[in-house]
Amino acid sequence: MYTEKVMDHFSNPRNVGEIENANGVGEVGNASCGDIMKIFLKVEDNIIKDVKFKTFGCGAAIATSSMVTELAIGKTLEEALVLTNQAVAEALDGLPPAKMHCSNLAADALHEAIKDYQAKNS
């Protein structure tokens, strides 16, 4: 059902935790299935220097959260804003169709964190 990459990011998630004094925080959730994702950013000179996440949800939710942090680190805010949930799923070599709607909210959480950063620094 899950790809090797999904299982790897679920079993060995990258960038788990919180960033103290994060300058951008985004949280999204899907009430119908219970997945909740929170992304913390440290941005310097328009570059995402650090990203951490906390996710409550299924294995796919944890894997997508882990993958989006890997994709975002080192990108400009503009580059990170064009990351989509589909791009996250593709980076994991796909997700089962039943998991796309609820478990793959990671890019949305990243975008919310960026919007939070921009609102605080405009």
Side-chain angles (χ1 to χ4, degrees):
M1 182 160 141
Y2 291 116
T3 69
E4 195 173 307
K5 279 188 183 177
V6 170
M7 292 307 296
D8 180 43
H9 277 268
F10 167 67
S11 300
N12 306 292
R14 285 67 152 177
N15 307 305
V16 176
E18 285 184 46
I19 296 174
E20 280 194 41
N21 303 314
N23 46 22
V25 179
E27 184 172 345
V28 297
N30 187 313
S32 67
C33 64
D35 293 325
I36 300 169
M37 300 174 182
K38 194 167 189 176
I39 300 271
F40 303 85
L41 297 179
K42 185 59 96 175
V43 179
E44 295 173 19
D45 300 322
N46 202 50
I47 305 285
I48 298 173
K49 296 292 186 179
D50 196 11
V51 186
K52 300 264 189 253
F53 78 90
K54 285 188 161 184
T55 292
F56 177 82
C58 67
I62 292 165
T64 57
S65 298
S66 175
M67 179 56 83
V68 83
T69 65
E70 291 282 287
L71 294 172
I73 290 176
K75 289 199 172 10
T76 66
L77 295 176
E78 294 76 19
E79 290 168 335
L81 277 170
V82 299
L83 286 173
T84 64
N85 288 324
Q86 184 64 38
V88 174
E90 287 171 8
L92 289 166
D93 295 335
L95 287 172
K99 294 295 179 180
M100 284 298 290
H101 73 286
C102 63
S103 300
N104 195 6
L105 299 167
D108 296 339
L110 175 65
H111 297 164
E112 289 300 313
I114 293 169
K115 288 178 193 169
D116 181 55
Y117 170 81
Q118 290 172 328
K120 291 176 179 172
N121 293 281
S122 58

